[in-house]
Amino acid sequence: MTITRARIDPRAEIADIDRRVFGGFVEHLGRHIYDGIFEPGHETADADGFRADVVALVRELGVSTIRYPGGNFVSGYRWEDGVGPKDQRPRRLDLAWHATETNQVGLHEFQDWLDKVGSDLMLAVNLGTRGTAEALDLLEYANTSVATTRTAERAANGRPAPFAVKMWGLGNEMDGPWQLGHRNADDYGKLASRTAKGMRQLDPSIELVVCGSSGRSMPTFGSWERTVLEHTFDDVDFISCHAYYQERDGDAQEFLASAVDMSKFIESVVETADHVAAVKKSDKRIMLSFDEWNVWYLSKWDEQAVTYGPDEWPVAPRQLEDQYHALDAVVFGDLLITLLQHADRVRSASLAQLVNVIAPIMTEPGGIAWRQTTFFPFSITSRLAGERAIRVPVDTGTFASAQFGEVPNVNAVATVDDGGVSLFVVNRSTTDAADLRIDLSAFGEDLALVESHLLHEDDPYAANTLADPERVGVRPIDGATLEASTLTAVLPPVSWAALRFA
Ligand code: AHR
């Protein structure tokens, strides 16, 4: 047992929290849309074909902005295919995921679904196989209220009022050799700058995200951000970051250090963006849109990749359907803590993804929908996080990481609002329980501990499955007390917790 001490002091404010940090991501991929959120024959399906059980879970998850329609998919997507009468929409080959896209869900249907789940739309434009003209067409279709041929078309398709999409992504992972239309940083930076300038001419109110690296381990990481921002600094508001983590070689302890990587990633991108600002003698600060983050067993997916025959292009195949266990959820909770610890620069983030595809929510066609283990840290953090993020320096034990040296066992962040204080904390040690002593005296004598949630399993590989969908959940922390303004609680090894004081 390691005694872990910390003090929560509202003067250690990081920043106000942009709720867009609790965003999600829906891509036309596998069974995400078709047989996921959209299953017209399902017993809970509404008149539009959307599963009501999935809508309820997405609402419970508490997702703010949802990035759509990709991902790798967007780099070959023609948005016009997804509007107009459904029986006239083309079937297309999706080269990114080797599937057939039926286009039965497009912009209008997705906005209808967002209205049901209570989330806002963030749209990505295709800068892979397409360019500025098509991005402008989509922006005019989505956001303009002036009478034009495009807006008449939108009205005829059922939406007289603009969609009024605020956040726009300029392509996806353009640094990745796997990306359709992949190009070097100079070429992408010039294209993104031209496109952004045109988009702002059409709608100056939008916020634009330029593609950063698709991972910190990319060989061009750092130089990509610098070059792209040299071209686009004046044109964009955000640069994107993408990161996925997984346990490798059965080394759970190393996996539990993943958030250190995310932290270094964020800090490096901030430093690079601020370097470009310095060179340009600008006070402008580029914000980060961490618009893909999660645990993803990418190596398993590569090993198990199905090889299709030349004429096999399935509709909505089972792809990237990772099953998450308790250990994954602890790492995931720590990633969320890390995003909040950088609330001053991470002003938007998208959990990748939402349903069936590396997702907190799973569905069975004609069957149930259930919460994966990662559902709990997200839904609880989204619900309990207050208005402002507070730094919580922690005095704790450490473990040795091959990649990061000595890593603190315990990591934490707090938030405050008029109603009270929330604390999010993780014990990354695989061996030592953490005996927490947290000083909350800065908030006076009147605080009470009103909620606590612990995610921990004696078997860290326990998971929720179709056969046993409620195997893993959260429970109150046994014996947690707040006395004389000090919280005392024991976090077992490999656990994540959230506490609310009011
Ligand atoms: O989220 C799955 C894929 O991961 C996305 O399509 C792509 O952007 C990333 O490489």
Side-chain angles (χ1 to χ4, degrees):
M1 181 93 81
T2 311
I3 294 192
T4 293
R5 294 181 196 280
R7 175 176 161 79
I8 308 180
D9 187 330
R11 287 171 299 186
E13 181 172 325
I14 303 164
D16 64 301
I17 296 170
D18 192 322
R19 289 295 305 177
R20 291 183 292 189
V21 88
F22 298 110
F25 171 35
V26 171
E27 177 165 9
H28 283 251
L29 197 183
R31 297 192 308 119
H32 200 162
I33 307 255
Y34 309 110
D35 278 355
I37 67 176
F38 180 75
E39 192 187 336
H42 192 268
E43 62 176 0
T44 72
D46 62 17
D48 298 324
F50 291 114
R51 284 181 64 151
D53 55 351
V54 175
V55 168
L57 285 175
V58 175
R59 292 191 82 95
E60 182 185 329
L61 192 62
V63 197
S64 53
T65 307
I66 299 186
R67 179 171 172 249
Y68 173 84
N72 295 337
F73 172 81
V74 79
S75 294
Y77 184 52
R78 284 171 263 205
W79 66 268
E80 304 90 332
D81 290 349
V83 302
K86 284 190 169 190
D87 58 356
Q88 291 167 31
R89 294 187 192 172
R91 285 170 78 88
R92 301 269 190 211
L93 300 184
D94 162 22
L95 305 188
W97 300 105
H98 197 94
T100 297
E101 172 56 51
T102 63
N103 284 306
Q104 292 306 290
V105 171
L107 177 58
H108 288 257
E109 293 78 22
F110 193 68
Q111 180 64 62
D112 291 344
W113 183 75
L114 288 173
D115 293 342
K116 296 174 208 277
V117 299
S119 301
D120 293 327
L121 179 59
M122 169 181 173
L123 268 183
V125 300
N126 174 356
L127 290 188
T129 57
R130 306 186 104 188
T132 308
E134 295 88 351
L136 292 175
D137 286 344
L138 174 56
L139 179 61
E140 182 183 326
Y141 185 91
N143 278 19
T144 309
S145 42
V146 182
T148 67
T149 304
R150 287 250 173 245
T151 58
E153 201 188 331
R154 182 186 71 219
N157 290 333
R159 284 255 171 186
F163 291 90
V165 180
K166 182 93 182 143
M167 258 186 114
W168 293 77
L170 296 163
N172 177 67
E173 293 191 346
M174 300 307 298
D175 64 321
W178 59 86
Q179 200 69 214
L180 271 174
H182 157 67
R183 56 201 86 195
N184 66 35
D186 264 314
D187 290 347
Y188 168 67
K190 286 177 196 166
L191 172 62
S193 170
R194 281 197 302 273
T195 305
K197 284 188 171 75
M199 290 176 79
R200 284 205 195 284
Q201 270 177 269
L202 206 153
D203 183 352
S205 73
I206 57 174
E207 291 180 80
L208 290 168
V209 185
V210 75
C211 289
S213 295
S214 46
R216 183 169 169 254
S217 60
M218 293 297 288
T220 50
F221 175 69
S223 65
W224 173 275
E225 280 76 2
R226 190 190 61 232
T227 305
V228 165
L229 283 175
E230 280 165 0
H231 289 291
T232 60
F233 187 85
D234 295 325
D235 308 315
V236 302
D237 306 285
F238 293 87
I239 185 159
S240 70
C241 304
H242 292 181
Y244 294 99
Y245 299 97
Q246 70 172 94
E247 184 182 4
R248 292 180 189 274
D249 307 320
D251 191 343
Q253 190 63 89
E254 192 66 23
F255 178 41
L256 283 152
S258 298
V260 179
D261 180 82
M262 182 188 249
S263 203
K264 287 180 187 293
F265 190 163
I266 292 169
E267 283 153 23
S268 306
V269 175
V270 166
E271 283 159 6
T272 308
D274 291 353
H275 163 76
V276 178
V279 172
K280 290 182 178 285
K281 302 182 179 55
S282 170
D283 292 333
K284 177 176 174 179
R285 286 294 170 263
I286 298 286
M287 297 299 163
L288 272 52
S289 171
F290 216 117
D291 50 38
E292 286 188 33
W293 69 270
N294 202 349
V295 172
W296 176 11
Y297 285 84
L298 187 52
S299 62
K300 209 188 296 175
W301 162 247
D302 284 343
E303 284 159 21
Q304 294 171 358
V306 183
T307 314
Y308 298 109
D311 295 330
E312 274 180 285
W313 293 76
V315 174
R318 288 185 186 259
Q319 289 176 316
L320 279 55
E321 298 201 3
D322 280 9
Q323 178 177 294
Y324 293 116
H325 42 59
L327 167 63
D328 295 325
V330 171
V331 170
F332 179 102
D334 197 11
L335 297 176
L336 258 177
I337 288 172
T338 306
L339 292 173
L340 292 176
Q341 285 170 332
H342 295 90
D344 52 337
R345 298 303 287 268
V346 178
R347 306 298 290 168
S348 174
S350 312
L351 162 60
Q353 301 196 9
L354 270 192
V355 179
N356 288 332
V357 174
I358 46 173
I361 298 167
M362 296 300 291
T363 72
E364 190 57 20
I368 61 164
W370 69 97
R371 300 169 188 79
Q372 293 236 55
T373 57
T374 51
F375 185 97
F376 302 102
F378 194 99
S379 61
I380 294 168
T381 308
S382 173
R383 181 171 63 81
L384 293 186
E387 285 158 18
R388 300 178 298 284
I390 306 294
R391 201 173 309 286
V392 182
V394 181
D395 180 7
T396 183
T398 61
F399 63 88
S401 151
Q403 299 171 84
F404 308 114
E406 289 301 307
V407 169
N409 287 349
V410 172
N411 190 33
V413 73
T415 68
V416 293
D417 52 81
D418 291 346
V421 183
S422 298
L423 173 66
F424 306 98
V425 55
V426 64
N427 181 4
R428 299 159 166 165
S429 171
T430 54
T431 52
D432 294 0
D435 186 357
L436 300 184
R437 314 280 166 85
I438 314 261
D439 176 358
L440 286 121
S441 57
F443 298 92
E445 306 279 290
D446 296 335
L447 275 189
L449 173 62
V450 291
E451 270 184 61
S452 73
H453 306 273
L454 177 71
L455 195 152
H456 165 77
E457 291 294 327
D458 290 340
D459 172 8
Y461 298 99
N464 294 339
T465 60
L466 175 62
D468 193 358
E470 293 183 6
R471 164 72 183 78
V472 178
V474 288
R475 56 181 185 277
I477 307 175
D478 270 351
T481 57
L482 180 66
E483 274 168 21
S485 296
T486 300
L487 167 77
T488 309
V490 174
L491 293 192
V494 191
S495 63
W496 171 91
L499 300 101
R500 174 76 182 164
F501 309 91

